Amino acid sequence: MGSSNLFFPYYSAAYTRQYLTKKYEQYNISQSKSKSYQVSYSFMYHLQHGQLYFEQATKAPTELKPMLLFYGLVQMLKACILTNDPAYPENSRVLAHGVSTRKRKKSTYRFLDDEVKIQKNGLFPHFLNTMFHVKHCEGEQYHMQILLQHIADMHPLFSQLQQQELSYKGKFENGYLLFPSKVLDCYHMTANRFEQYLEQFKSSNYNRKLRILEDNQYIRIPLSSLPSMLFSPPWLFSQEGTPYLLRHRKEYMSTYALPELAIHYLILYNLSMISRYEAEWWGELIHTFDGSDLPFILQYLTIAENKIPKIIFDFLK
């Protein structure tokens, strides 16, 4: 089923009003029924516009994809925000992107080495707070290579091109999450110490009442329920829902513990700015196959195109 079919139920005003009313009641928002009436068409149009951008991105040449994907994501995020903030946008401050890029040095510029900076106001801090209750730090900088490494589907390419094994692949089995037992060696932890480590992450859904089981092959982590693919640090998820755990635990104690939608926003914002304002660098990158950035960008755009609508669908669900 194509990602476009996922959103069909929301293209019924009656269903959408019912859906939004239920959401607003859940968040104890007053006048939930009348607010759902006011917001329903705005919600549907944002979702539909987002989809149109994504559908055009699948047909567009690489040169235009970042812009289409970024604005598709922006529209879908606005629909998501309306599910628990019917007053959005309350003021013009929340309409800015909320992120900025640095000035480029033409001759030696590499996308993987680039950074984006978080601003005080705008869509980025607003959706982080509204959708995920995550507070951002103004002035925080995010590095493109590290952001890409926090997308599980990118790991095979890093392994192939940089000889970097970034993660351990896990699986779900009978209420447990299984990872290779060498995770403990890599983290320099006993099973007991690993339990304490997981307790820091509420959304890991680690069941504190049970112990982690260990044998020669696997560690078995008991779960209270299935972790959400939206944001369940320290787990990362591939498009298929396979769980992964980064080999370097310091990455998750840092600022990079972001919901995956936020990671896509930062990468696509930067790529869309480059494709619009750095035409020469962007054109040369795509047509000369020079440097090491292109495979990562092409792979990333393919993943974003398919994965973002699924994550948005999961959030709405």
Side-chain angles (χ1 to χ4, degrees):
M1 175 165 96
S3 61
S4 58
N5 306 12
L6 295 172
F7 301 106
F8 284 167
Y10 300 103
Y11 299 147
S12 149
Y15 173 78
T16 293
R17 281 179 196 137
Q18 203 183 339
Y19 166 79
L20 290 172
T21 303
K22 206 183 276 184
K23 284 280 182 193
Y24 297 158
E25 283 169 354
Q26 215 175 311
Y27 290 108
N28 298 318
I29 292 167
S30 62
Q31 301 168 307
S32 50
K33 202 160 192 177
S34 65
K35 279 178 182 163
S36 73
Y37 266 78
Q38 290 159 21
V39 165
S40 57
Y41 280 95
S42 182
F43 171 86
M44 288 188 287
Y45 287 136
H46 280 310
L47 206 51
Q48 197 174 37
H49 286 163
Q51 257 196 269
L52 287 171
Y53 276 117
F54 271 85
E55 281 164 16
Q56 291 309 307
T58 59
K59 304 167 193 166
T62 303
E63 285 87 336
L64 304 180
K65 269 185 202 281
M67 222 165 18
L68 293 166
L69 291 173
F70 178 66
Y71 284 108
L73 173 58
V74 164
Q75 291 294 333
M76 287 182 172
L77 286 171
K78 287 177 178 178
C80 291
I81 289 168
L82 287 170
T83 64
N84 54 14
D85 178 9
Y88 177 82
E90 262 181 294
N91 55 55
S92 58
R93 287 200 306 275
V94 295
L95 295 173
H97 290 133
V99 191
S100 62
T101 54
R102 63 182 184 188
K103 297 276 185 288
R104 300 187 199 297
K105 294 172 176 59
K106 292 287 191 300
S107 57
T108 57
Y109 174 73
R110 272 184 82 232
F111 176 73
L112 290 182
D113 294 334
D114 200 7
E115 290 178 334
V116 290
K117 196 178 195 175
I118 308 309
Q119 294 175 327
K120 186 179 178 182
N121 297 308
L123 181 60
F124 182 78
H126 189 73
F127 88 74
L128 256 192
N129 190 19
T130 309
M131 291 167 62
F132 298 102
H133 314 295
V134 171
K135 294 277 185 201
H136 78 297
C137 291
E138 186 191 347
E140 198 72 74
Q141 294 190 328
Y142 290 93
H143 190 274
M144 290 298 116
Q145 173 150 316
I146 299 177
L147 287 172
L148 287 167
Q149 288 174 349
H150 280 66
I151 296 172
D153 313 81
M154 292 294 296
H155 292 183
L157 191 65
F158 275 102
S159 170
Q160 199 174 346
L161 293 185
Q162 295 188 354
Q163 284 71 56
Q164 261 187 303
E165 293 299 333
L166 294 174
S167 58
Y168 290 107
K169 186 178 180 179
K171 60 180 177 179
F172 295 109
E173 195 177 271
N174 304 326
Y176 285 85
L177 176 49
L178 276 61
F179 280 104
S181 48
K182 54 188 173 201
V183 162
L184 296 179
D185 296 335
C186 185
Y187 274 41
H188 307 295
M189 288 181 182
T190 59
N192 189 26
R193 174 71 190 89
F194 193 66
E195 287 173 350
Q196 292 166 11
Y197 172 70
L198 288 182
E199 279 172 19
Q200 299 169 79
F201 302 103
K202 288 191 180 112
S203 52
S204 69
N205 289 15
Y206 159 60
N207 187 346
R208 292 170 177 74
K209 292 174 186 164
L210 298 171
R211 305 305 305 263
I212 286 178
L213 306 173
E214 186 189 354
D215 59 36
N216 292 337
Q217 209 177 355
Y218 293 111
I219 56 166
R220 296 168 189 271
I221 301 157
L223 298 172
S224 50
S225 60
L226 275 183
S228 158
M229 284 179 66
L230 288 165
F231 187 40
S232 299
W235 322 128
L236 303 178
F237 291 93
S238 69
Q239 277 185 77
E240 299 74 38
T242 306
Y244 287 81
L245 181 63
L246 287 173
R247 287 173 180 238
H248 301 292
R249 71 176 191 270
K250 71 175 194 308
E251 297 291 19
Y252 250 130
M253 302 313 291
S254 73
T255 52
Y256 287 89
L258 282 173
E260 189 169 330
L261 278 177
I263 291 171
H264 288 294
Y265 186 93
L266 295 175
I267 297 169
L268 286 174
Y269 169 78
N270 200 10
L271 282 173
S272 69
M273 293 298 275
I274 292 167
S275 67
R276 274 182 293 169
Y277 300 116
E278 298 290 339
E280 190 184 341
W281 185 87
W282 185 236
E284 279 185 12
L285 172 83
I286 290 167
H287 299 292
T288 64
F289 302 101
D290 198 16
S292 55
D293 283 335
L294 187 62
F296 288 100
I297 290 172
L298 292 176
Q299 174 78 346
Y300 170 72
L301 291 172
T302 306
I303 290 163
E305 204 173 277
N306 296 306
K307 197 174 185 183
I308 290 171
K310 289 176 186 165
I311 301 176
I312 295 286
F313 175 72
D314 279 348
F315 178 84
L316 294 175
K317 200 171 61 172

